[in-house]
Amino acid sequence: MRVLIADDDAYVRRGLREIILEEYGAAEIAEARTSREAVNSVRERARERFWDVMVLDINMPGGSGIEVLKELKKEFRKLPILILSGYSEDEYAVRTLRAGASGYLTKDTAPEELIAAIRKVLGGGKYISPSVAEKLALDLENDGDRPAHEALSDREYQILLMIASGKGVGEIAEELALSIKTVSTYRARVLEKMRMGTNAQLTFYAIKNGLVDEKLVESGRAARR
């Protein structure tokens, strides 16, 4: 089996490698640290033997995991891509599955669930937890009455979640490897599309709609004081 792990955190990559090798001792595993490395690794490998599965972090330097997902799916439609995220299923699962992901896992997922997801996608299926399946069904029922944040682009949505989590423009810029000016522009677009004027309004909206956990927001604020 051939696996590509794309994550900027060396400890996460090492942990994933160990979990996969414990189950698939003969697996060939490669790593990518940035969005460009991830895309290039897939393109270069396409000339030889293709990757059987890709495990992709949703936050990647140089471009979000969703941007990488969309770019790769345009060129390599059959490549199974499992999204691994520090965000809860409520925040990104439906959005990534609609973009072509074969499954969505959070970083606190048990090793057994990761292996189960890999087995599922290797068999040609999609790995969807019961809670995500229910959310997908509800989204289909309510498709004609979509909430305001659904109008945001993937990057704008990512900025919304980070602002709502209490992160400042500078912190967001550093984490996403973007300029402060670019992040400020995205923030302005989010405020305009959401018809709001302050970060506090965005945070209230995100908590009210279950996009971020209020307890995590408060703990984040406390840590920054």
Side-chain angles (χ1 to χ4, degrees), residues 1-196:
M1 185 177 71
R2 298 168 296 278
V3 184
L4 175 61
I5 299 172
D7 196 298
D8 63 324
D9 190 322
Y11 292 103
V12 172
R13 295 198 305 272
R14 184 186 303 171
L16 292 172
R17 175 184 283 271
E18 291 176 357
I19 291 169
I20 293 169
L21 288 177
E22 186 173 343
E23 182 68 22
Y24 300 96
E28 176 189 345
I29 301 175
E31 300 177 6
R33 298 167 298 172
T34 68
S35 60
R36 283 304 93 197
E37 283 185 15
V39 172
N40 290 337
S41 293
V42 174
R43 286 176 177 161
E44 289 169 8
R45 192 53 182 257
R47 302 168 191 162
E48 304 171 14
R49 298 182 68 194
F50 208 53
W51 297 112
D52 292 308
V53 62
M54 178 181 187
V55 181
L56 174 64
D57 183 16
I58 205 162
N59 278 336
M60 295 287 288
S64 73
I66 297 182
E67 290 171 345
V68 173
L69 170 66
K70 288 182 175 180
E71 184 173 350
L72 289 176
K73 279 298 177 177
K74 286 180 182 178
E75 296 182 51
F76 310 101
R77 186 172 55 85
K78 293 183 179 180
L79 172 64
I81 301 177
L82 284 172
I83 295 294
L84 187 67
S85 172
Y87 297 102
S88 70
E89 292 177 334
D90 286 343
E91 294 172 291
Y92 271 109
V94 173
R95 190 172 280 252
T96 55
L97 289 168
R98 284 182 169 177
S102 294
Y104 186 94
L105 299 165
T106 58
K107 289 192 175 180
D108 58 0
T109 293
E112 299 80 21
E113 190 174 354
L114 172 63
I115 296 303
I118 290 175
R119 286 177 179 160
K120 185 76 172 179
V121 301
L122 286 176
K126 286 184 178 288
Y127 185 81
I128 302 176
S129 69
S131 60
V132 172
E134 183 178 355
K135 186 166 180 57
L136 279 168
L138 289 172
D139 273 22
L140 287 173
E141 287 180 9
N142 302 323
D143 202 47
D145 186 24
R146 306 199 67 76
H149 65 269
E150 291 288 350
L152 301 177
S153 69
D154 294 325
R155 179 65 86 182
E156 289 165 353
Y157 182 69
Q158 184 180 31
I159 298 294
L160 164 64
L161 293 182
M162 296 179 86
I163 290 173
S165 297
K167 295 182 179 180
V169 170
E171 189 176 357
I172 295 171
E174 183 177 356
E175 188 170 328
L176 299 182
L178 298 172
S179 70
I180 290 178
K181 183 178 179 181
T182 298
V183 174
S184 297
T185 298
Y186 276 119
R187 174 184 174 275
R189 289 179 188 169
V190 171
L191 288 169
E192 182 179 358
K193 287 185 178 182
M194 301 288 289
R195 296 184 179 180
M196 296 178 185

